[in-house]
Amino acid sequence: MKLHTYFKASAAPAALGLALIAQPAMAQDDGETAEAPAATTGPAIVVTGSRISNPNLELASPVSVVSSDDLELAQTNVAEEFLRELPSAVPSVGSAVNNGNGGSSFVNLRGVGSNRNLVLLDGRRFTPADTTGRVDLNNIPLAVIERTEILTGGATTTYGADAIGGVVNFITKRDFEGVEATASQQITEEGDGNVFRADVTIGANFDDGRGNAVLSIGYQNQDAVYQGDRDFSLFNIGSFSGNPSGSSNSIPAVIVGPVPSGFGQIAPDGVGFRDGSFYQPFNFNPFNIFLTPFERFNVYGSARYEVSDAVEVFTQASFSKNTVSTIIAPGGSFFNTYQQNLNNPFLPAGLAQAYCDGLGLTAAECTAGINTPFGPTLADGSPNPDYVQFGSSIRRRTVEAGTRNSDFTTTLFNLVGGLRGSITDNINWEVSGTYGESERIQRQGGFARFDRLQQSMLAIPDGAGGVQCIDTSGGCAPINLFGLQGNLGTQEAIDYVFSLTQQVITQASLQQVQAIIDGDLGFGIAPTPISFAVGAEYRKYTATRLSDEASQTPGAVVGGGGAAPDIDGSYNVKDVFAELVIPVIEDSFFREVTLELGGRYSDYSTAGGEFTWKAGGTITPIDELTIRGNYQRSSRAPNIGELFSPVTTGLSNLAVDPCAGSNPVGNAALTAVCVQQIVAGGASAATAQSLIGSILQPAAGQINVTGGGNPLLGVETATTWTIGAIIEPIYNLSLTVDYWNIKVEDAITSPAVADITGGCYNAPSTSNPFCSLISRSATTGGLDGSPNEVLGLLLQSSNLGLIKTDGIDISLRYRTDLTDNIGVRFSTDATWVNKNVFQATPTSIERDCVGFYSVNCGSIQPEWVANTRLTFSFFDELDVSLLWRYLSGVEFEPLQRAASGDAFIGQIGAGAGPVSGQDVDFNEIPSESYFDLSARWAATENIEFVVTIQNLFDNDPTIVGSDIGSTAFNSGNIYPSTYDALGRRYAAAVKLRF
């Protein structure tokens, strides 16, 4: 029987990397394997993926392990930092996501969605962050984490719903004794991105070892890194033009509306108007950030005490308060339709004439309309016959009002208490309860309020050479959206429009009670008895989102993305489950043969009953080879957000609109579809027809999409299976190879943008059902605009989706002593992904995003990702370690490339700063290799130093422009969650132990 792999702290750290257990959005404009003790001593070990606490078990599911030593060498401060770099994971929302970061960090195992994996603390569910039920990794107390176990693939039978993609289980230090204080500092070579972290952990055993108590307190502060401080992101670059680009919400203002060509821009002199052309989009890159500011205070405590030889009481408490800040470019009037008046004193002469021409006014009507000193009524209260008011889009960037900032402050506590003990020498029991609450308060500033902006725009002469609002109520002061930079208006006007803040409060709670009996039956087929676990569990989730009036009203906050209407929902689950591990053969013609079985029945208050099960086993023909495999039927019930979120209009991404420009001209079928969609937005047929030929491409590559929850959603089901081998040909050398396969049916999804656009425009027809899922602006004909005016693409949630992914994991580890005083350790962990297919509905295309990037694919998932580390240890005091992280090349998604055309190939246009003239091909990102060099010195028994150089060769990321992918992951011309945007970084830490 092989010994169970475990990890322990030592002066010489484990090899960094995974250690396989050998035995088993807003507007854009914006380890070491040690010799184990005898299996009969010490506490029982529970391996992630089973509820059976038997240290001798060889489980069929491959489980990866990252030890605390690994994180220490890597100078990791937040769990999301190392989880996103796992070969088995795809980067999710974290510190590299700015526009699209809701104040939390998540993990996405196997790329099947961050809502399809579980995050546990000591095998128990942790308080969720929001209405999705996901756990915010910013709240995990890394200072007390002994190791992190990652099971990729289904684990619903063991842990319940949501574990389709896998489980991340953070295991805390059980018997910590003494005092450990750590302080670390990190900074980039550019002098920004400073990160300071300090932790103090105190632990003690008492009453002759019958009890233990631990208290840990931590603090962390992280500064921003701005996109304007890196050459490759200083200027926004169009992915399809290769030229400096940005937003048409610009300075001077861009006009879309009743002018002869339908659009134009105020000239640089502030007087003229360039009808039918843009000359200066707004470069929003410098204001945005690659590293979000972050501050955290956390406290962790745990205690256990053996009341008797048969009963132990245990408690655990976590508290965290953290603030994540996002900073996006200054706001403006954006793409809303505003009422304007022709006699506004701020109106430039050239634009006033263009309005007259576009409105079809005679010369006399134009002159009278421009020169009348009154508003809609004359001094005597009668109607003013010369007053002209009309609707138009004035897209003006309000840099004078500063950036748009969102501070997300999260306060969380998670409490656990329970009893455990033994019934007999070989049967154990445990009863525990968990209760936790989280509250995230989002405070927004720097955004215009639509009603105040509209009121401030309707201005007339005040009779004394000045300007006043037509409606002066509420302290209105006129604002000048037609002015050049610096001429937005008085500070009084800026404060009136932009000084108000918005607030959204999201609260979530978890109540959980579980009881487990596990052990062995005392008999079996083989000499080793059958092991079992049976249990019952009750969970209740609640979540609410409470918004102020402006935040929940579509269009009330200008440039703030979609509205955040109130949500209030809850559901509960009652589970019963059982597991068996049956040794079938031992020391016969096979060394070992073991069978695993498990089942769970779950009763959801919202979705009814569901049965999941697993079957697997291991075969060890000889000591050097173990073959393992398992098959599981998993499930996931819809979360509160998926069930109860109101339908709202928000933002997604699309760089090329088939109805824009001259595309529909001369194409009767496409023209008819575009007209139909503009009429659906509220325009007359004649107005819709007149817009054909002048529709603009989506501003900043962003469009409106409308969707929400669906209370009729049911459970999605998945089949997951793995088969692999563990090869240990010589002492201290091990190789594991595992094939994995996940298929999610009845998946809770909504269509991708290209599912709708491709379904419609690849076969344009007014009878095509996909075309009826698109609603355009009645004013501009575009897919962008105020969310209360333009629905855009209709993306309804359903159980019609299909997700399929499979691949191979490889892990190789070796260690040896070169001399009595020099040791070497080598580890490599790699994942090859064959496919990751998403199909929104049975009639939609099967879209595979492995190795591709586009607006449909979100975060990048390369075909190959590998982490390799080589560590030399000298005299058990000094470790020098080199980590190599490899990502295979990726390319522009072929399906999207066929729809929108090639991305830019050639030299970046003039005016893009340091990268101007650089030869590029935005259709591909070559393979990338990153190297980190670390050294750890145990200076004395009590003092230890660690220094690390990350991104040793200062690799710059590959530029692909800013509108080829989603706003959250394609930012600053690159993909900063996948490729390092910060450059070479230096980190140093000191640890004191007593």
Side-chain angles (χ1 to χ4, degrees):
M1 182 72 69
K2 294 188 184 70
L3 296 174
H4 177 79
T5 301
Y6 78 113
F7 291 83
K8 64 179 182 179
S10 63
L16 181 60
L18 294 180
L20 267 288
I21 290 184
Q23 283 69 29
M26 295 178 183
Q28 171 71 310
D29 313 321
D30 12 85
E32 166 188 9
T33 298
E35 292 291 331
T40 56
T41 64
I45 299 173
V46 180
V47 176
T48 300
S50 176
R51 295 289 190 177
I52 299 173
S53 56
N54 186 334
N56 296 312
L57 291 182
E58 300 178 2
L59 298 179
S61 298
V63 176
S64 308
V65 176
V66 179
S67 73
S68 58
D69 287 334
D70 298 343
L71 304 184
E72 186 175 283
L73 269 182
Q75 303 268 7
T76 301
N77 295 308
V78 179
E80 183 270 337
E81 293 178 10
F82 78 89
L83 290 175
R84 75 169 179 232
E85 295 185 353
L86 296 176
S88 57
V90 175
S92 186
V93 175
S95 60
V97 171
N98 181 42
N99 193 347
N101 189 326
S104 301
S105 295
F106 304 114
V107 60
N108 182 5
L109 298 175
R110 298 301 189 202
V112 297
S114 58
N115 58 336
R116 293 187 177 90
N117 40 238
L118 276 180
V119 174
L120 309 175
L121 186 65
D122 289 327
R124 299 180 186 87
R125 293 181 181 238
F126 197 72
T127 302
D130 52 27
T131 61
T132 68
R134 295 174 296 177
V135 170
D136 180 2
L137 298 171
N138 292 330
N139 297 308
I140 300 299
L142 289 187
V144 296
I145 301 302
E146 179 68 28
R147 66 188 186 277
T148 305
E149 298 180 347
I150 304 101
L151 184 151
T152 50
T156 299
T157 301
T158 304
Y159 298 110
D162 309 325
I164 288 175
V167 172
V168 177
N169 190 8
F170 295 95
I171 311 297
T172 61
K173 300 172 182 178
R174 175 177 168 84
D175 287 309
F176 183 85
E177 188 172 19
V179 178
E180 185 173 276
T182 303
S184 65
Q185 191 88 30
Q186 300 183 27
I187 196 167
T188 73
E189 191 163 278
E190 301 293 330
D192 52 15
N194 180 71
V195 182
F196 172 77
R197 177 183 163 198
D199 296 278
V200 177
T201 304
I202 303 172
N205 293 316
F206 57 91
D207 198 7
D208 295 327
R210 295 177 64 181
N212 177 266
V214 176
L215 175 65
S216 182
I217 301 174
Y219 173 76
Q220 180 175 335
N221 194 302
Q222 173 176 288
D223 293 341
V225 173
Y226 284 85
Q227 294 180 5
D229 292 329
R230 297 296 184 268
D231 288 350
F232 52 81
S233 55
L234 177 57
F235 285 88
N236 185 278
I237 301 171
S239 297
F240 295 88
S241 70
N243 292 319
S245 185
S247 171
S248 61
N249 183 49
S250 189
I251 304 177
V254 170
I255 308 300
V256 181
V259 296
S261 295
F263 69 95
Q265 188 169 22
I266 296 171
D269 61 6
V271 177
F273 178 71
R274 298 185 175 184
D275 188 33
S277 67
F278 296 147
Y279 69 94
Q280 187 179 337
F282 181 77
N283 177 27
F284 48 77
N285 275 26
F287 303 92
N288 291 317
I289 54 179
F290 281 136
L291 184 67
T292 54
F294 175 63
E295 185 177 33
R296 176 180 64 187
F297 302 86
N298 62 275
V299 180
Y300 169 88
S302 67
R304 62 173 184 83
Y305 184 72
E306 296 178 8
V307 179
S308 69
D309 292 341
V311 177
E312 180 181 76
V313 60
F314 61 92
T315 61
Q316 183 185 77
S318 297
F319 171 82
S320 175
K321 182 176 183 179
N322 67 73
T323 298
V324 175
S325 299
T326 61
I327 304 169
I328 55 178
S333 51
F334 287 95
F335 320 120
N336 298 39
T337 299
Y338 298 93
Q339 291 297 306
Q340 302 176 51
N341 54 302
L342 198 57
N343 63 328
N344 187 331
F346 293 136
L347 193 67
L351 178 57
Q353 185 60 56
Y355 276 142
C356 288
D357 295 342
L359 291 168
L361 301 179
T362 65
E365 290 171 332
C366 181
T367 299
I370 292 173
N371 293 324
T372 179
F374 299 105
T377 59
L378 299 173
D380 60 4
S382 62
N384 180 2
D386 297 326
Y387 179 77
V388 179
Q389 184 172 313
F390 53 92
S392 182
S393 174
I394 304 176
R395 303 180 177 184
R396 205 276 194 183
R397 183 71 58 162
T398 54
V399 296
E400 298 88 343
T403 56
R404 291 168 290 162
N405 301 339
S406 294
D407 293 329
F408 300 87
T409 300
T410 297
T411 304
L412 173 145
F413 70 85
N414 189 83
L415 306 176
V416 178
L419 300 169
R420 58 189 167 213
S422 56
I423 300 173
T424 68
D425 289 343
N426 55 348
I427 297 179
N428 306 310
W429 61 271
E430 179 180 293
V431 177
S432 66
T434 300
Y435 182 76
E437 293 182 2
S438 67
E439 179 184 73
R440 184 179 64 215
I441 302 176
Q442 176 189 8
R443 295 182 176 91
Q444 288 183 327
F447 294 81
R449 291 290 181 91
F450 178 83
D451 55 351
R452 291 194 172 201
L453 180 56
Q454 174 64 87
Q455 185 182 356
S456 292
M457 289 170 62
L458 292 173
I460 57 175
D462 65 358
V467 185
Q468 70 177 29
C469 297
I470 294 176
D471 176 5
T472 59
S473 64
C476 177
I479 202 161
N480 180 16
L481 292 185
F482 308 105
L484 300 180
Q485 185 167 338
N487 292 320
L488 181 60
T490 64
Q491 188 62 48
E492 181 184 6
I494 294 173
D495 289 344
Y496 178 72
V497 175
F498 294 94
S499 63
L500 298 179
T501 60
Q502 295 75 239
Q503 180 170 284
V504 179
I505 302 175
T506 303
Q507 297 176 319
S509 70
L510 166 65
Q511 302 173 48
Q512 177 177 254
V513 178
Q514 64 178 11
I516 301 171
I517 298 175
D518 79 286
D520 67 67
L521 299 178
F523 63 87
I525 301 172
T528 299
I530 297 170
S531 296
F532 75 95
V534 295
E537 185 174 332
Y538 171 82
R539 300 188 303 277
K540 181 178 180 180
Y541 286 100
T542 65
T544 61
R545 184 175 67 191
L546 301 174
S547 307
D548 59 30
E549 184 177 357
S551 298
Q552 63 181 286
T553 303
V557 180
V558 181
D566 290 351
I567 299 173
D568 188 358
S570 66
Y571 71 93
N572 63 71
V573 190
K574 305 178 184 70
D575 290 347
V576 291
F577 57 89
E579 290 184 69
L580 287 175
V581 176
I582 308 171
V584 179
I585 299 174
E586 290 181 349
D587 297 324
S588 183
F589 55 92
F590 283 126
R591 181 72 176 85
E592 287 180 353
V593 175
T594 302
L595 175 66
E596 295 179 35
L597 300 172
R600 175 182 288 255
Y601 180 78
S602 302
D603 181 14
Y604 303 97
S605 62
T606 54
E610 187 70 20
F611 180 71
T612 60
W613 56 271
K614 68 176 182 178
T618 61
I619 300 175
T620 304
I622 57 176
D623 285 339
E624 294 77 17
L625 174 66
T626 296
I627 300 170
R628 61 187 177 187
N630 75 87
Y631 184 94
Q632 301 193 32
R633 184 185 183 278
S634 301
S635 68
R636 186 181 75 88
N639 59 50
I640 291 171
E642 291 167 331
L643 289 168
F644 305 119
S645 292
V647 174
T648 58
T649 299
L651 295 176
S652 189
N653 301 88
L654 183 71
V656 178
D657 179 358
C659 288
S662 61
N663 288 337
V665 178
N667 185 331
L670 180 57
T671 295
V673 165
C674 298
V675 168
Q676 178 191 55
Q677 294 167 350
I678 299 171
V679 170
S684 66
T687 298
Q689 188 67 50
S690 70
L691 292 171
I692 299 301
S694 64
I695 297 174
L696 302 179
Q697 293 290 358
Q702 292 186 313
I703 62 171
N704 288 6
V705 295
T706 298
N710 182 351
L712 301 179
L713 290 174
V715 172
E716 61 181 25
T717 59
T719 55
T720 68
W721 59 279
T722 64
I723 186 168
I726 306 163
I727 305 167
E728 300 171 299
I730 61 174
Y731 181 70
N732 277 338
L733 173 64
S734 66
L735 170 67
T736 64
V737 181
D738 292 278
Y739 171 80
W740 49 269
N741 186 297
I742 301 173
K743 181 179 180 180
V744 186
E745 298 178 291
D746 304 319
I748 301 169
T749 61
S750 59
V753 167
D755 290 328
I756 303 299
T757 58
C760 172
Y761 300 118
N762 290 341
S765 167
T766 55
S767 61
N768 183 337
F770 283 104
C771 294
S772 65
L773 298 177
I774 302 174
S775 177
R776 295 177 171 272
S777 169
T779 303
T780 68
L783 294 172
D784 48 20
S786 175
N788 63 314
E789 298 174 1
V790 184
L791 297 179
L793 275 59
L794 309 181
L795 308 180
Q796 181 61 46
S797 298
S798 72
N799 279 106
L800 299 176
L802 174 69
I803 301 170
K804 297 184 295 185
T805 183
D806 69 313
I808 296 174
D809 289 336
I810 303 170
S811 178
L812 176 66
R813 328 200 87 68
Y814 179 68
R815 62 174 297 171
T816 190
D817 291 329
L818 301 179
T819 70
D820 289 343
N821 296 313
I822 301 177
V824 61
R825 298 188 299 279
F826 174 87
S827 67
T828 187
D829 299 282
T831 293
W832 171 72
V833 184
N834 178 42
K835 65 177 182 296
N836 192 342
V837 171
F838 167 70
Q839 186 180 28
T841 68
T843 58
S844 301
I845 62 171
E846 291 192 357
R847 186 179 304 279
D848 185 1
C849 282
V850 173
F852 302 132
Y853 55 91
S854 76
V855 294
N856 309 299
C857 291
S859 190
I860 290 178
Q861 184 175 23
E863 185 178 355
W864 278 99
V865 178
N867 292 344
T868 300
R869 180 170 284 278
L870 179 65
T871 303
F872 289 91
S873 297
F874 303 90
F875 301 95
D876 292 330
E877 294 179 354
L878 175 66
D879 293 326
V880 178
S881 188
L882 181 68
L883 173 66
W884 169 32
R885 185 167 185 258
Y886 171 80
L887 300 90
S888 62
V890 295
E891 62 183 74
F892 186 25
E893 183 202 4
L895 288 174
Q896 184 62 36
R897 190 171 182 174
S900 59
D902 289 351
F904 178 76
I905 303 174
Q907 290 188 338
I908 296 176
V915 298
S916 296
Q918 180 176 316
D919 287 316
V920 295
D921 182 353
F922 291 165
N923 296 285
E924 63 178 12
I925 301 176
S927 61
E928 184 63 273
S929 292
Y930 295 106
F931 293 87
D932 296 346
L933 181 64
S934 301
R936 176 164 120 169
W937 177 40
T940 70
E941 184 178 348
N942 304 114
I943 303 176
E944 176 183 283
F945 298 96
V946 180
V947 293
T948 301
I949 305 176
Q950 301 169 353
N951 193 353
L952 181 64
F953 298 109
D954 198 23
N955 294 15
D956 281 343
T958 299
I959 298 173
V960 292
S962 280
D963 52 5
I964 201 167
S966 69
T967 298
F969 296 106
N970 174 208
S971 180
N973 303 322
I974 65 169
Y975 275 80
S977 291
T978 303
Y979 304 101
D980 184 13
L982 306 184
R984 187 183 292 123
R985 302 183 296 286
Y986 304 95
V990 59
K991 178 183 290 186
L992 306 178
R993 294 191 186 98
F994 302 97

